[in-house]
Structures are given as C-alpha cells and as structure tokens.
C-alpha cells in the first residue's frame, strides 16, 4: 500500500520561501508511469494543482505559479520536495502531495494516492 506523508513548517512569514517534503512509502517515486503532484486548498476554496514531478524526473508547473514554484526529488530517500518562494497570506492553504498516471488535474478523483495534507499559514 503506497502511503504519502507531507511534512514542513506550519507557519511561514511573508516574502519567505515555503518548503515542504512528501515522503513516499510502500512504492517508489520512479515507478512507471506515475506523476507526483503538489496540490493545495486555500480556506473556503477548491483544490489547486501546483505542479508535478514525473517518474522520469521531468517537472511540470501550473502557469500561474511557475515563476515561484520548484519541485524536486531525492530518489535515495523516496521524497518529493516543494519550494514556493515569495509567499503572501494568499498562499495560506492545506498542502497535499498526491500521485496519478498523469498530471495537471485539480479533481481529487483523478488521483490514486493522497497524503493527509499539511496546513501552512503565511503570517508575520
């Protein structure tokens, strides 16, 4: 059973960089043909796909967040990392990592695996 666990600071100051890690167990992040996405849900709003890293290591980003987002991986630790720079209070959200055969969807039903999510608040 594949399990995903997000971790990182729950509070980030404006203008700083948010860094989160998704640790995957029960499966490999290099498994064909899975894409490992970061998705967020601001309070009172829907899911927003942020970006993904493929089993091959290729990365894909939402156009609206591309200039501030970086996704990387550590295959030795089976981890995916998200960095979001220059955060503002509008980046306050629950952040999820999830996996599917494909990328770009903001519909929960498209994903085979989900983490439980981690709350990140941007505030001074």
């Amino acid at each position: 059973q594949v399990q995903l666990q997000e971790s990182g600071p729950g509070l980030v100051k404006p203008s700083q960089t948010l860094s989160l890690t998704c640790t995957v167990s029960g499966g490999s992040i290099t498994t064909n043909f899975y894409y490992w996405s970061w998705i967020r849900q601001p309070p009172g709003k829907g899911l927003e796909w942020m970006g993904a890293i493929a089993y091959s290591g290729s990365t894909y980003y939402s156009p609206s967040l591309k200039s501030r987002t970086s996704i990387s991986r550590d295959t030795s630790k089976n981890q995916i990392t998200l960095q979001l720079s220059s955060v503002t209070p509008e980046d306050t959200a629950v952040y999820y990592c999830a996996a599917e055969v494909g990328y770009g969807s903001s519909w929960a039903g498209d994903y085979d695996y989900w983490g439980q999510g981690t709350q990140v608040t941007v505030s001074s």
Side-chain angles (χ1 to χ4, degrees), residues 8-78:
L11 180 65
V12 182
K13 294 186 184 321
S15 81
Q16 292 187 340
T17 295
L18 179 164
S19 294
L20 297 175
T21 298
C22 175
T23 301
V24 179
S25 59
S28 172
I29 61 174
T30 61
T31 298
N32 293 342
F33 298 94
Y34 273 88
Y35 293 72
W36 305 84
S37 289
W38 285 98
I39 299 160
R40 68 181 182 179
Q41 186 168 27
K45 297 184 179 181
L47 295 173
E48 178 185 20
W49 179 78
M50 301 179 68
I53 187 164
Y55 57 96
S56 61
S58 297
T59 53
Y60 307 85
Y61 298 105
S62 166
S64 64
L65 294 169
K66 184 176 182 178
S67 64
R68 299 196 291 130
T69 307
S70 178
I71 297 174
S72 58
R73 68 180 185 176
D74 185 333
T75 55
S76 67
K77 296 181 179 178
N78 221 31

